[in-house]
Amino acid sequence: MEKIIYILLLIILENDFYKDINTIYNPTNYDFLINKNNKLTNGYVPQDLELIDINYSCKDKYLRKEARINFEKLSKQAKKEGFNIIAVSTYRSYEYQEKLYNNYVLDKGFYYADMASARAGHSEHQTGLAVDVADLSLDYDNFESTKEFNWMKNNAHKYGFILRYPKAMFHITGFKYEPWHYRYVGNDVATYIYENNLTLEEYNLINSR
Ligand SMILES: [Zn+2]
């Protein structure tokens, strides 16, 4: 049922999504928007990608330096309190995202692909600032039902991360609810977004005025 509602919404909103696309060439801050209306170039690769400590990630996972440092701090503190927050998907190249999206289209059709996956250039994972997390099961699809999710809800902002695709915000973010996907925006912005219950889209709109 939920899926049908999303698909209907997507059909209604498809005039806005993936239209009037703005290209971000060289992001210098941490709170810039990448979504269905803002994209990175196919050649964009962050220059400060760093490997995440294997204690807090699956094999070979990279984030930009500041996001990597803060994710490790987050994960370390969670572990101390008895929670295991593991990075399962982080930086993805333009080419890899292209493959992922195309596979979704082949597998589940065009509308489902646009609801659940980003077209190449439009994925936050290309920024090197986004991380999909899970508990020790590594099954991020079930992350919402874990005690780790509850910890993330209350603590992620203290380390500069926001829940990027909150429930029922599809009409604004363009993506279905993803309890596992967090975006690094820096401590001050994350705290502001958390305290005011905003999406990154709303935050950017308020700040562009
Ligand atoms: Zn993600």
Side-chain angles (χ1 to χ4, degrees):
M1 188 60 196
E2 197 184 13
K3 189 170 148 188
I4 294 169
I5 292 168
Y6 278 128
I7 290 175
L8 282 173
L9 254 173
L10 191 59
I11 294 168
I12 295 164
L13 295 167
E14 79 176 327
N15 284 337
D16 293 327
F17 291 144
Y18 291 122
K19 297 278 159 67
D20 299 320
I21 293 165
N22 175 38
T23 303
I24 312 287
Y25 289 93
N26 246 321
T28 49
N29 49 10
Y30 291 107
D31 58 1
F32 63 96
L33 267 183
I34 293 300
N35 58 18
K36 289 179 174 174
N37 300 96
N38 293 277
K39 65 173 285 203
L40 292 163
T41 61
N42 54 3
Y44 179 74
V45 179
Q47 291 307 295
D48 55 352
L49 289 173
E50 294 187 351
L51 185 66
I52 304 174
D53 185 328
I54 191 69
N55 285 310
Y56 314 120
S57 73
C58 297
K59 209 168 140 246
D60 297 337
K61 295 291 178 281
Y62 292 82
L63 284 175
R64 287 184 59 187
K65 182 176 183 172
E66 200 176 303
R68 192 273 301 162
I69 290 169
N70 283 287
F71 181 77
E72 287 180 0
K73 278 186 195 162
L74 174 158
S75 202
K76 195 174 178 181
Q77 181 58 33
K79 210 170 202 169
K80 241 188 229 170
E81 295 176 29
F83 305 94
N84 288 286
I85 315 278
I86 311 291
V88 291
S89 184
T90 52
Y91 168 71
R92 291 179 203 150
S93 69
Y94 182 96
E95 291 72 24
Y96 183 70
Q97 185 65 32
E98 197 164 43
K99 267 185 222 153
L100 267 184
Y101 176 81
N102 290 345
N103 284 341
Y104 257 116
V105 175
L106 289 173
D107 238 35
K108 308 225 172 171
F110 184 75
Y111 281 114
Y112 187 82
D114 267 346
M115 177 183 95
S117 179
R119 298 181 194 175
H122 295 270
S123 172
E124 276 207 324
H125 285 280
Q126 195 186 338
T127 66
L129 298 171
V131 54
D132 294 338
V133 300
D135 66 340
L136 284 178
S137 73
L138 304 184
D139 178 7
Y140 65 84
D141 265 332
N142 285 320
F143 188 61
E144 190 183 9
S145 61
T146 63
K147 60 187 186 346
E148 275 75 9
F149 172 65
N150 207 42
W151 190 91
M152 280 299 274
K153 246 186 2 194
N154 300 322
N155 295 286
H157 66 282
K158 297 175 191 166
Y159 302 88
F161 288 87
I162 57 163
L163 174 69
R164 181 64 180 88
Y165 306 118
K167 206 173 233 171
M169 285 295 153
F170 178 84
H171 57 295
I172 295 174
T173 65
F175 291 95
K176 65 179 174 60
Y177 178 41
E178 293 194 355
W180 58 84
H181 182 113
Y182 295 82
R183 158 74 188 269
Y184 184 75
V185 290
N187 197 287
D188 291 350
V189 177
T191 301
Y192 184 85
I193 285 176
Y194 171 81
E195 284 174 353
N196 293 284
N197 205 16
L198 299 171
T199 59
L200 191 55
E201 277 76 9
E202 292 164 310
Y203 173 81
N204 270 273
L205 193 67
I206 293 166
N207 280 277
S208 66
R209 278 186 193 146

